[in-house]
Amino acid sequence: MQFSESWLRSFCNPSLSSEELADTLTMGGFEVEERRPVAPPFTKIVVGEIKETVQHPNADRLRVCQVDVGQGDLLTIVCGAPNARVGIKVPTALVGAELPPGEDGKPFLIKVGKLRGVESQGMLCSARELKLSDDHGGLLELASYSPVGVDIREWLLLDDVLLTLKLTPNLAHGLSVYGVARELSALTGAALDSPVNEPVPATHDGRLAVQVEAPDLCGRFSGRVVRGVNTQAATPAWMVDRLARCGQRSVTALVDISNYVMFEYGQPSHIFDLDKIHGGLTVRWGKAGEQLKLLNGSTVTVDEKVGVIADDREVESLAGIMGGDATSVTDDTKNIYIEAAFWWPEAIQGRSRRFNFSTDAGHRYERGVDPSRTVEIIERITQLVLDICGGEAGPVDDQTLRLPEARPVTLRVARAARVIGMPLTQAQCADALRRLGFPLEEGDGTLVVTPPPHRFDLLIEEDLIEEVARLIGYNNLPTTPPLAPITARVRTEAQRGRFAVRHRLAALGYQETINFSFVEADWERDLAGNADPVKLLNPIASQMSVMRSSLLGSLLQVLKFNVDRKASRARVFEVGRVFLRDDSVATTDTTVKGIHQPMRVAGLAWGDAEAARWDGKPHRADFFDVKGDVEALLAPLSPTFERTEHPALHPGRAARVYVDGKSIGVIGELHPRWRQQWDFAHAPVLFELDLDAVTERRVPVAQPVPKLQSVERDIAVVVAESVSLAALLEAVRAENAHGLLRDASLFDIYRPQAGLTGGLSAGEKSMAVRLSFHSDTATLTDEQVDPAVRAIVDRLASTLGARQRGG
C-alpha cells in the first residue's frame, strides 16, 4: 500500500522525522518497504499566471507569453505548449532555476536566451519536465486559486514523502491511511485526529428497494440515493494529488470520491447510475451461466459460488470485487445510488483469481473490512459528492443481517512474559492494549480483551501477546544469552559427515542436484513399486501430489531436463530424504507417526563416461563404471553385489548392494520400458543407497609393511556360464588355504568362439584368477603353496562344479 506522509500526518503527527516515522512503523509490524520523495530536487520554480499571449513573429508553433510571477513586472517567456493561454496558472522556472536532471544526469539551468529572435526570460513547465509524471501533452495547469509567486514545491507539497508499506495478510486494518495513523498513534502516543462525519440531512425521501437473500454473503448493506448530481464536475486538485500519490489515477469526480474514501478509511464502496437500475437490487449468490460485463470491459460467467448484486433484469455487479458496465456512471448520469456493505471474507476470497484479475476492493474485502462503519462511510461519500458534484441526498438505508461475533480472548500475563522473554507487569500489558483502543477487563493476572470490529486477526492468546510485544517495541526486548549448556556434537572417527559424502561424489565427477520431495504418483507406482505413497492434502501442483519414497524419479527428471537441452552427458547425484509408511514409527520431536523418513544418496550417469578427449573417443558409461563409483564411495568398506530385480531397473542388469551381509541399496541400468517412456537415446545407470550406511567407515588399523616376498599363482577354471565372479571369489576366499591366501583377483575370461572351443563345451566359460600367498614368518616354498592351490581348486570343484582348465 502506498500513500503520502503528509496525508498520514493529517491524522497523526508525532514529533518524529520522516526516517524515524518509517522506522517506527516497521518495528511496529507495518514494514515500510520503500520511502522516496514525491518530486526530484529543483529550485526557483514558482506559480505564474499567463496574462497575454501573441503569436511568435518568426515561428508558427511558438507563442510569446507575458507571465505574472508576483515580481511586479511581467516576464516575457517564449513557449511552444499547445495549451498556453491567457488566464491559466502554471509552474514557471525563473532565470537561474535548476530543473531536474536529464538523461545525462546533470541539472538543467535556466538562462536568459533568444528563441527565433525573441528574448525569453524563463520557462513554462510541464509535469514531465518537473519529473512529476510522464504527461508531456502541455503545460501543467494549476488550480485557479493558486497564489502567484509562491514556490511550487511549497504550494504542491512536493517536499512530501511517499511511503510504501508491505503488509502481511493479517493486517487488514492497515489497508487505509486512517488505519495506519491509528497504529502510529498507539506506537508513539501521539494524538489521533478522528474526524466526525456528521449525518447529511435528507432533502427528499427517495429510496431504492434492496433485498439481501444471502446473509452468508453479505452481513450488512447500506445505501443512499442522491439526485441531481453533476458528474462532469472537476475533481479538486488536492484529491487528485492524494490519489496520485496512492498510485491511483484520476477518472471522474464520482469514481475519484469512491476511491479516495477507500484509501482514507479502508472501506470500498460502489456508485450506481440509479436510472439504469431496473426495479430494485437483490444481493444473492450467482446462478450458473449468468454473465456480467464488468467496468474493465471483460465479460465473466458466474456460478453458485460467486456473489452478485442483481436488479430485476440482470446481474449488475460482482459483489465486493467490481461493478458492472451496465449501471456505471457517465457524463449523462443525474441520479446515483451509493452502496457500502460488509461482505464476508470467505465469500470473496479466491473469486478474483477465478477471473484472472484483482481489485483494491477485493483485496480488502477478502482480508476483512470493519462492518461497523458502513453508514459512516456513506455519510462521508455523500458529503464529498454534495461538495464537489452537488445534488440532493435521500435517507440512508441500512440492513444488518449477520455480523462477525466478537469472541473475548484471554491474555495470561505470566505466559506473555514467558513467550516474549522479558519480565512484564499486568499494568504494562493493559497499557499496551488500551493504547490500541481494545476494550478489556482485568482479572488476577489475566486480561480479557473483546476484539474491536476492525481487528479480524485477534483470535487466540498469541495474537494478543504479539500486540503487547510490538507496542513495547521489539528493539526494547532484552538480548538474553541462552542459559542451556552448548555441547558440540562430535562425530566419531567411525563416521563421516554428509558433506564428506557430497565432496566424494563431486570428486568422482558427479554434480549435486536438489529436488522437491513432492513427486508424481506415477513415479511412485512405476519406479518404486509403491502403491500406497504418502499423499499431500493440499499439493502445490497436480503433478506433485505425493511424497517420494525413492530419489530415482527426481534424478531421471533432472536428466530429462538436461537431455531436452542437448546435453551430451550427465553425472548427477542427490542427498535427500524419502518417506515410507511404517506403522512402528511413533511421533517424537523428529518423527511423525506412521512415516519412516530415512536419508538416502542416489546418483545417475548417462552418456560418455568421461568428457571428450583429444587422444581417443571415450566409452559410454555402463554398469561397471557406476559400480566402480559406488565402490569408491563406500571405501574402505568392501561392498558385494548380488543380482536382483527392481521395478525401475533392467531385470538382467541390476544388483543389490551389500555391506557386511546387510542390504544398503541397489544399482542398475534403467528398465527399457521406462527408457522408452522418458525418451532417452540410451539407458542411464543409477544407484540409490542408505546414507547412514554410506557415512559409516571402519577405523584404519596400522599394520607393518610385509618384510617377506609374497608368492603368486594363476589358475584357470572352467565353470558354467551362469556362475558369477562374486560366487567364484567367495568360494576361493572360503578356502582358508592354511591361512596363507591374502588376495584373489580375476584377470581373464574366455568363452568359446566359432571353430575355437579351447576345450570348452557350449554354455561354459573359463575364468582366470590370480592368487596371492604370503606368510609373516618365513618365505613360502612350493611345498607350502602347491597344497594350498590344490585345496582351492578342490573347493571350486565341489561348490561350483568347476574343473581346472588344461588339467
Side-chain angles (χ1 to χ4, degrees), residues 263-332:
F263 286 116
E264 186 177 36
Y265 290 113
Q267 168 73 58
S269 60
H270 186 63
I271 300 179
F272 295 85
D273 186 325
L274 180 63
D275 297 327
K276 296 178 182 179
I277 297 175
H278 306 93
L281 293 179
T282 302
V283 179
R284 58 175 172 81
W285 292 105
K287 300 176 182 178
E290 286 185 317
Q291 291 189 329
L292 169 66
K293 183 178 181 181
L294 298 171
L295 290 173
N296 61 7
S298 63
T299 300
V300 298
T301 302
V302 303
D303 58 21
E304 297 85 350
K305 295 183 179 180
V306 178
V308 300
I309 301 176
D311 61 14
D312 294 347
R313 181 184 300 180
E314 59 188 350
V315 175
E316 299 295 357
S317 177
L318 212 55
I321 299 174
M322 184 179 289
D325 180 71
T327 54
S328 63
V329 294
T330 65
D331 290 346
D332 298 327

Side-chain angles (χ1 to χ4, degrees), residues 14-33:
S15 300
L16 300 173
S17 66
S18 178
E19 185 175 354
E20 291 171 339
L21 185 147
D23 290 341
T24 299
L25 288 175
T26 298
M27 294 307 297
F30 291 72
E31 180 186 353
V32 178
E33 187 176 30

Side-chain angles (χ1 to χ4, degrees), residues 144-218:
S144 59
Y145 52 81
S146 302
V148 172
V150 172
D151 190 294
I152 200 72
R153 298 192 71 90
E154 177 185 345
W155 178 244
L156 295 182
L157 300 176
L158 298 183
D159 291 322
D160 200 357
V161 174
L162 295 183
L163 301 176
T164 302
L165 269 57
K166 184 179 181 181
L167 301 178
T168 52
N170 64 312
L171 298 179
H173 55 285
L175 287 172
S176 65
V177 178
Y178 180 77
V180 176
R182 180 171 50 205
E183 295 296 319
L184 183 61
S185 174
L187 291 168
T188 62
L192 175 67
D193 182 8
S194 300
V196 178
N197 296 304
E198 297 293 342
V200 176
T203 56
H204 65 83
D205 58 358
R207 298 175 183 266
L208 177 66
V210 177
Q211 181 180 2
V212 180
E213 295 181 352
D216 56 337
L217 166 66
C218 178

Side-chain angles (χ1 to χ4, degrees), residues 470-636:
R470 70 186 187 88
L471 263 293
I472 290 176
Y474 294 122
N475 52 343
N476 294 325
L477 299 182
T479 54
T480 306
L483 300 178
I486 300 176
T487 305
R489 298 179 61 184
V490 180
R491 189 180 296 110
T492 65
E493 193 177 357
Q495 290 182 318
R496 55 179 169 177
R498 296 175 184 176
F499 281 105
V501 175
R502 291 183 169 96
H503 292 165
R504 182 58 179 150
L505 283 167
L508 292 170
Y510 291 81
Q511 292 180 309
E512 184 175 9
T513 65
I514 300 175
N515 301 287
F516 278 110
S517 295
F518 318 135
V519 298
E520 295 186 34
D522 292 346
W523 291 6
E524 285 297 295
R525 183 188 65 245
D526 298 341
L527 301 176
N530 186 4
D532 187 24
V534 179
K535 297 181 179 179
L536 298 174
L537 295 178
N538 186 24
I540 60 177
S542 59
Q543 69 273 19
M544 305 173 77
S545 59
V546 300
M547 304 295 288
R548 63 184 179 183
S549 64
S550 170
L551 305 181
L552 300 183
S554 300
L555 294 182
L556 290 173
Q557 182 66 26
V558 172
L559 175 60
K560 178 65 175 175
F561 181 86
N562 284 270
V563 169
D564 288 346
R565 285 152 183 80
K566 309 302 180 184
S568 60
R569 65 187 298 269
R571 295 171 74 87
V572 294
F573 78 93
E574 181 179 4
V575 176
R577 197 173 298 279
V578 297
F579 304 85
L580 309 168
R581 292 194 181 277
D582 187 346
D583 294 335
S584 65
V585 178
T587 299
T588 66
D589 292 341
T590 59
T591 61
V592 177
K593 182 179 180 180
I595 308 295
H596 182 43
Q597 305 176 48
M599 292 290 293
R600 290 186 182 172
V601 55
L604 176 149
W606 181 86
D608 295 337
E610 298 177 350
R613 297 173 48 169
W614 63 271
D615 59 347
K617 183 178 180 180
H619 73 279
R620 182 178 299 167
D622 57 19
F623 176 92
F624 298 101
D625 291 313
V626 178
K627 177 175 175 286
D629 292 336
V630 170
E631 291 174 332
L633 175 63
L634 293 172

Side-chain angles (χ1 to χ4, degrees), residues 4-7 18 36-47 90-92 98-100 125-133 140 142 150-162 237-238 240-242 244-245:
S4 65
E5 183 181 325
S6 63
W7 195 1
S18 178
R36 59 185 176 87
V38 169
F42 53 77
T43 59
K44 298 187 70 174
I45 299 178
V46 300
V47 177
V90 297
T92 305
E98 285 189 358
L99 268 62
C125 304
S126 68
R128 186 177 185 181
E129 289 163 337
L130 298 180
K131 300 292 180 67
L132 300 181
S133 73
L140 174 59
L142 304 176
V150 172
D151 190 294
I152 200 72
R153 298 192 71 90
E154 177 185 345
W155 178 244
L156 295 182
L157 300 176
L158 298 183
D159 291 322
D160 200 357
V161 174
L162 295 183
W238 59 267
V240 172
D241 289 342
R242 282 186 170 178
R245 293 173 189 183

Side-chain angles (χ1 to χ4, degrees), residues 441-462:
E441 296 179 4
E442 295 194 43
D444 185 12
T446 62
L447 299 172
V448 180
V449 175
T450 302
H454 64 275
R455 293 301 299 268
F456 286 77
D457 59 317
L458 301 180
L459 302 175
I460 58 178
E461 183 179 21
E462 283 71 15

